[in-house]
Amino acid sequence: MDLEEARATLFDTLSSVSGTDSIPLAGALDRITAEPIYAQLSLPPFPASAMDGYAVRREDFAQKKPLRLIGQSLAGHPFSGSLGIGECVRIFTGAVVPEGADLIILQERLAAAGAGQDNGESVHFEDHKPDENFIRPVGNNVEKGQVICGAGERLTPLTLGSLASAGVSRIEVVRKVRVGIFSSGDELRDPGTPPEALKLGQIYDSNAFTLANLLQHLPVDLVQLQRLADDEETVEKALADAAERCDMLITSGGVSVGDADFIGATIARLGQLAFWRLNLKPGKPLAFGSIGDCRVFGLPGNPVSTIVTCLLLVKPSLQILCGTRPSALLRIDAEMATQISHRPGRAEYQRGVYHQSDEGGTIQVRHTGDQGSNRLSTFNGANCLIEIPKESADLPVGSRVSILPLSDLLD
Ligand code: AMP
Ligand code: MG
């Protein structure tokens, strides 16, 4: 199965978990809205001045006579009266425009510098035609009852700011998705174990650590599960138990065709296997299925394969479970600055570094050296994946390719 087909299959079959939480705005970053959220008031809630200056009656101003200053309106301290004929009020940005006024004259338009400060004073303005009235009417930003944010939206710092400004204090969000992460392999030890304590053949379990970090800003409750030994019975029992407690399980390793690879067969035995093996490099041995209501991804163990498949398949799938749309892949045209050898047959995602020498200029990209899927170091300094379509032959320097910025994939 090609990557696009696998993504389409996942997107078609997966759906949001049910259940919501009512939470305060302050803890809502990155949560997904469960229902539309409406403005609780109009913004601005009162006619507000857009500038520092003087609130006047347009009719008076047109007569070009001095106006009598009767008070001031500051942000948070409105002028208490209303404006009569021949009067003006000193006003500042964000302050309430007093009743009777329908025009703000900017303070730069005073006829004499330093004038227009004292109540009772006659204020003279330059003779000019105001560009606009500099008054923000009620609801000019948002109308009371307007939808600020639809259902199924991820709450960003920007949306949360809008909600705060519109008087929203609690929101109904989709409950967090419970995700269990398993590593598998007898050779694995916890990161943090001193290197000298590793026995011959042992390596650190980096995948569990990477996966948790890749997913932690999604609205998920991550459960680090005990590492799976390379033993069929242990794997079966652990997956069956965890599937009861989680909405999604993500394993890495043990999904290939080696003698110690039990994940694919175990998913099939305990539940259903939807697909196993992709026409994708890195990431060929990938299994997806379900055990009861729990979705299970068996990711390949090679660290680069784990990351690439997590970004291209697991993360968008999780977004659906979390109640929102899967992110579309952002592809940008670039020109190869190094050459790539590729035989047609399998789509490949290499790690690359792109840069744009001048603004608006061509984006140049180079790969990060030998692209072995064990070489986590190919991600060092990388800022994109280079997409090599399955039909593609060798790509000489100067070839056009699509790149997928990591900033987007990691968002
Ligand atoms: P496997 O699919 O289990 O044969 O694993 C493929 C390769 O990935 C082997 O070299 C494993 O040692 C390595 N590997 C598997 N799981 C992890 C992990 N959690 N962290 C780092 N490397 C791993
Ligand atoms: Mg293994």
Side-chain angles (χ1 to χ4, degrees):
M1 195 184 272
D2 291 334
L3 174 70
E4 288 309 325
E5 192 187 345
R7 280 170 59 98
T9 307
L10 290 166
F11 299 170
D12 280 351
T13 45
L14 296 173
S15 57
S16 171
V17 296
S18 52
T20 62
D21 296 326
S22 167
I23 60 167
L25 214 53
L29 186 64
D30 290 328
R31 298 295 296 265
I32 309 294
T33 53
E35 55 188 31
I37 313 178
Y38 304 94
Q40 301 298 299
L41 78 177
S42 290
L43 292 175
F46 46 83
S49 179
M51 290 293 194
D52 294 340
Y54 294 82
V56 304
R57 294 153 52 101
R58 187 175 282 276
E59 227 175 79
D60 289 350
F61 180 75
Q63 292 181 7
K64 301 176 187 171
K65 291 196 196 125
L67 300 175
R68 195 165 65 87
L69 185 61
I70 57 164
Q72 56 176 1
S73 181
L74 290 94
H77 301 280
F79 175 70
S80 53
S82 67
L83 210 68
I85 296 172
E87 294 174 337
C88 67
V89 162
R90 190 156 193 238
I91 195 163
F92 299 90
T93 306
V96 180
V97 176
E99 214 164 298
D102 55 4
L103 174 66
I104 308 296
I105 302 296
L106 310 194
Q107 67 186 21
E108 299 87 298
R109 297 296 196 168
L110 280 172
Q117 306 289 322
D118 304 317
N119 282 355
E121 194 182 336
S122 267
V123 185
H124 299 250
F125 297 105
E126 281 173 8
D127 183 18
H128 72 286
K129 206 169 159 299
D131 312 327
E132 50 173 306
N133 67 2
F134 299 110
I135 294 174
R136 301 169 181 154
V138 172
N140 140 285
N141 174 14
V142 167
E143 298 269 12
K144 181 175 179 178
Q146 187 182 321
V147 175
I148 309 261
C149 179
E153 298 288 335
R154 171 178 168 193
L155 291 163
T156 68
L158 309 179
T159 331
L160 287 170
S162 285
L163 294 174
S165 76
V168 176
S169 58
R170 291 191 79 79
I171 26 185
E172 206 64 23
V173 294
V174 179
R175 75 159 167 90
K176 286 190 174 176
V177 171
R178 272 182 83 79
V179 179
I181 297 176
F182 273 122
S183 290
S184 91
D186 288 345
E187 74 281 26
L188 301 175
R189 298 288 305 270
D190 286 330
T193 311
E196 55 279 12
L198 295 186
K199 298 205 185 84
L200 182 64
Q202 294 186 329
I203 57 169
Y204 294 114
D205 172 2
S206 64
N207 288 345
F209 190 71
T210 320
L211 285 171
N213 282 305
L214 285 175
L215 302 176
Q216 72 164 357
H217 70 282
L218 294 173
V220 292
D221 274 330
L222 291 175
V223 196
Q224 282 289 2
L225 299 159
Q226 221 171 13
R227 211 153 32 231
L228 300 172
D230 287 323
D231 166 74
E232 196 158 8
E233 224 173 284
T234 318
V235 170
E236 178 163 333
K237 188 170 174 326
L239 286 189
D241 279 357
E244 303 236 313
R245 296 188 285 133
C246 293
D247 301 301
M248 182 184 278
L249 292 179
I250 306 168
T251 70
S252 68
V255 75
S256 199
V257 289
D259 289 348
D261 295 336
F262 304 116
I263 302 285
T266 307
I267 300 172
R269 204 161 47 245
L270 292 173
Q272 263 115 39
L273 203 52
F275 54 83
W276 186 2
R277 276 174 218 126
L278 294 180
N279 195 25
L280 177 66
K281 183 179 176 186
K284 185 170 161 197
L286 177 141
F288 173 76
S290 54
I291 301 174
D293 290 334
C294 178
R295 313 298 182 157
V296 188
F297 274 102
L299 304 186
N302 270 311
V304 174
S305 315
T306 308
I307 295 172
V308 169
T309 51
C310 176
L311 294 175
L312 298 178
L313 293 148
V314 178
K315 207 172 152 204
S317 299
L318 252 182
Q319 288 172 320
I320 300 178
L321 260 67
C322 290
T324 188
R325 296 167 303 278
S327 303
L329 296 175
L330 170 67
R331 292 180 168 89
I332 296 177
D333 276 342
E335 189 183 278
M336 286 304 307
T338 49
Q339 65 106 31
I340 284 180
S341 310
H342 187 256
R343 265 185 295 128
R346 190 146 62 115
E348 183 174 354
Y349 290 84
Q350 297 202 352
R351 278 66 67 207
V353 185
Y354 72 88
H355 82 283
Q356 196 172 28
S357 41
D358 38 55
E359 227 169 276
T362 310
I363 295 177
Q364 299 272 332
V365 62
R366 61 181 170 82
H367 62 69
T368 54
D370 169 10
Q371 296 281 312
S373 62
N374 61 312
R375 300 192 69 228
L376 205 41
S377 59
T378 55
F379 270 110
N380 294 353
N383 59 6
C384 69
L385 296 179
I386 306 170
E387 183 173 59
I388 304 150
K390 71 170 172 182
E391 313 77 42
S392 181
D394 290 348
L395 295 171
V397 170
S399 310
R400 310 297 303 194
V401 288
S402 290
I403 57 166
L404 283 55
L406 284 174
S407 55
D408 182 62
L409 293 170
L410 293 172
D411 177 41

